[in-house]
Amino acid sequence: MIEITLEMAERAVRAAQAKARELGAPMTITVVDEAGRLVLCARGDGTGFFTPETSRAKAVAAAAFRKPTGWMAEQRKSHEPFWANMPIVVGGQALPSPGGAPISRGARVIGGIGCGGGTGEQDQVCADAGAQALGEGKS
């Protein structure tokens, strides 16, 4: 079993925070393992009240579905019943809203990163930056 370590999560958070600073967007970043268990949550200064919860739910969705949550938001346009009801069915633990990215090693998803605090587009760019910081060969 490949595990996402705290050191790896810290590296992903730093990369996402750097991208958030570049965009001028306050950001909360959460990293979960492949089963959606919390590894690290860093609440950004000036972020909204629920950003720790929404960033975690985006990270969980990305890990569970093994896709960026921006893709899920696009799918909602043509598959509304599933994507609108999925967060209800899982008790709000997964959120198919832009701002989450799976973290992969080879062909295996080992976790997810979720961001909240900016626009959906900003959240997704930051999540992608965090996931890319742990790209192939970086452990």
Side-chain angles (χ1 to χ4, degrees):
M1 171 186 267
I2 299 172
E3 295 184 7
I4 187 162
T5 65
L6 178 58
E7 181 181 336
M8 293 166 71
E10 289 170 337
R11 189 175 330 125
V13 166
R14 282 192 303 272
Q17 286 173 331
K19 182 56 77 173
R21 279 190 300 276
E22 181 183 310
L23 297 172
M27 197 67 57
T28 294
I29 300 124
T30 301
V31 177
V32 300
D33 70 9
E34 72 279 359
R37 295 175 295 239
L38 180 66
V39 178
L40 181 64
C41 180
R43 184 174 176 272
D45 296 337
T47 57
F49 186 77
F50 290 113
T51 56
E53 290 80 10
T54 59
S55 64
R56 182 174 183 174
K58 292 174 189 183
V60 168
F65 287 95
R66 293 160 167 61
K67 299 258 188 212
T69 56
W71 173 85
M72 294 174 208
E74 285 298 313
Q75 290 297 302
R76 187 169 178 165
K77 295 175 185 174
S78 59
H79 299 86
E80 178 72 21
F82 175 79
W83 292 107
N85 289 303
M86 185 272 296
I88 297 166
V89 171
V90 298
Q93 292 188 47
L95 183 61
S97 176
I103 298 172
S104 300
R105 276 282 189 264
R108 184 158 183 260
V109 172
I110 62 167
I113 182 169
C115 296
T119 65
E121 183 178 320
Q122 290 169 328
D123 293 354
Q124 190 66 55
V125 168
C126 292
D128 292 342
Q132 288 168 4
L134 300 180
E136 296 306 315
K138 297 179 183 175
S139 56

